Amino acid sequence: MPTKRVNVDPVRYFTNARLVIVAGKGGVGKTTVAATLANAAARCGLSALVIDLEGSSGLPRAFGLDRIGYDECVLRDADPQAGHGEIRARRITPDDALVEYLDEHGLKRISKRLAATGALDVVATATPGIKDILVLGKVKQLERAAAADVIVLDAPAAGHAITFLQSARGLLDAVQVGPINSQAKDVLALLTDPSRCRVMLVTLGEETPVNELIETAYALEDRIGVHLTPVVVNAELGDIDGLDVDPSKAAKAAGVKLRRGERQAFVEAADFRRRRRSLQIAQAERLADALPLPQIHLPFCFDAEIGPTQLDRLADAMIGGIGAIDAAAVGLADLDQVAVHGAGAS
């Protein structure tokens, strides 16, 4: 008797873990995917909070804004009639996180002086990882407070992402007692609990980004113990009908006349498109062979910038990709248990 196909419910997928950390090699569209993830969750009726660490201008522009700051701002209002939730955002820096921490503990005067004098940089030199733990500590606080149904953290690029997420474990070894040790324990508990936190890795269908994603995936699981979501293969070209048709015949059928050189230009463009698509397919297959995780494929947007319209199109593609995931295809009764190791077929 054939096994019954079980597709993943997008709402359940988004509520599986409140915090999703989006990471990937620079240039693969990580920030766009983070914005898309938040938008997709909101289109499923959930509230979303996007956390920016690097001051990326691409995140606010994707929602039609100029900038975001430490205080929360609304990127998109909820739309009850359409069933869409609210999307908010904020930028978190180590200095801001430290100032807020000290303010909450009655040390407002000291916090301002530390921020003004740059003392945090001195502390960071003496204690590697302290800046990262300040940021992650604030993220942990937001997760505990259930600041939104889905919290999306736009993490640093892949290489730094490993160091960033490993900071809690490193500080536990370096600092044996005190508030830093307690903070590191709490952050590590968050990162390694799949019911609270997952990491979404992003790549392009190209050799170098795929190689780096594979290395990052195993490093994150082996060194830190985080749990991974399905990976996102971003900016796929997709298939186009008619690429094999002779341009001269197509022009004649359309009642137009090609100018000198145009036929060859069309032939070369079609050939380039076919080769690029073949490369993307091959790299996605290689990724699937090396990393036993489902894949979500997002289309390439032929626009100078990603704005609200493109973000909605990408969000719909993400929701469709999530809904198409077959839990049984990876030998599991439930997607919740997907991990890099031991996720083979039954």
Side-chain angles (χ1 to χ4, degrees):
M1 185 175 180
T3 303
K4 183 180 179 181
R5 181 184 176 89
V6 179
N7 287 8
V8 178
D9 173 50
V11 173
R12 182 164 179 266
Y13 172 87
F14 286 123
T15 55
N16 226 9
R18 190 177 304 277
L19 174 63
V20 181
I21 301 173
V22 181
K25 178 180 172 62
V28 300
K30 172 179 61 67
T31 297
T32 297
V33 171
T36 297
L37 182 67
N39 195 27
R43 289 171 80 83
C44 289
L46 305 171
S47 62
L49 171 64
V50 189
I51 299 174
D52 176 32
L53 303 183
E54 300 180 324
S56 169
S57 59
L59 179 59
R61 279 206 306 265
F63 290 93
L65 301 179
D66 292 329
R67 62 180 296 276
I68 57 176
Y70 188 72
D71 294 326
E72 283 188 13
C73 65
V74 176
L75 295 179
R76 185 173 288 182
D77 291 322
D79 185 349
Q81 288 188 335
H84 297 172
E86 182 184 59
I87 307 174
R88 308 190 310 278
R90 65 185 300 173
R91 185 186 177 200
I92 297 179
T93 68
D95 285 346
D96 289 329
L98 177 61
V99 168
E100 182 175 311
Y101 176 84
L102 293 174
D103 285 355
E104 291 174 349
H105 289 78
L107 301 171
K108 189 170 185 177
R109 186 175 300 177
I110 294 176
S111 71
K112 290 183 177 180
R113 185 171 299 177
L114 283 173
T117 60
L120 180 57
D121 290 331
V122 177
V123 175
T125 302
T127 314
I130 192 67
K131 284 190 172 185
D132 293 335
I133 210 67
L134 282 169
V135 171
L136 286 168
K138 179 59 182 177
V139 173
K140 174 211 68 179
Q141 183 184 59
L142 292 170
E143 187 273 339
R144 275 186 173 174
D149 296 323
V150 180
I151 300 174
V152 181
L153 174 61
D154 184 12
H160 185 197
I162 297 174
T163 306
F164 173 70
L165 296 176
Q166 203 172 359
S167 60
R169 197 173 291 281
L171 281 172
L172 279 178
D173 295 334
V175 183
Q176 300 298 317
V177 295
I180 294 178
N181 177 274
S182 298
Q183 186 76 290
K185 283 182 179 178
D186 289 345
V187 167
L188 189 59
L190 165 65
L191 296 178
T192 56
D193 185 348
S195 69
R196 299 173 66 194
C197 174
R198 303 286 177 103
V199 174
M200 173 178 279
L201 296 177
V202 183
T203 188
L204 298 176
E206 300 173 7
E207 183 175 1
T208 300
V210 166
N211 288 343
E212 185 156 339
L213 183 144
I214 294 168
E215 293 174 4
T216 300
Y218 284 103
L220 288 174
E221 191 175 66
D222 291 341
R223 299 181 197 174
I224 306 166
V226 301
H227 292 250
L228 304 176
T229 73
V231 299
V232 173
V233 182
N234 193 29
E236 289 205 331
L237 289 173
D239 298 317
I240 295 180
D241 294 331
L243 285 181
D244 296 324
V245 176
D246 183 274
S248 297
K249 293 181 179 179
K252 184 177 180 180
V256 297
K257 187 176 181 180
L258 297 179
R259 290 175 297 201
R260 179 179 295 180
E262 283 188 333
R263 179 188 181 280
Q264 184 59 30
F266 282 127
V267 169
E268 291 175 358
D271 182 58
F272 174 80
R273 178 63 180 256
R274 281 193 298 268
R275 285 187 284 109
R276 290 293 301 173
R277 180 62 182 142
S278 295
L279 171 66
Q280 290 179 335
I281 292 172
Q283 291 300 322
E285 290 174 349
R286 185 170 71 87
L287 174 60
D289 290 339
L291 196 64
L293 290 172
Q295 297 178 7
I296 298 170
H297 299 261
L298 297 183
F300 186 90
C301 291
F302 292 90
D303 302 277
E305 281 193 350
I306 301 296
T309 300
Q310 294 79 13
L311 206 58
D312 285 345
R313 190 161 67 243
L314 290 171
D316 288 340
M318 176 168 281
I319 292 171
I322 291 169
I325 294 173
D326 180 10
V330 288
L332 298 166
D334 197 319
L335 183 64
D336 292 354
Q337 303 302 317
V338 173
V340 171
H341 300 304
S346 58

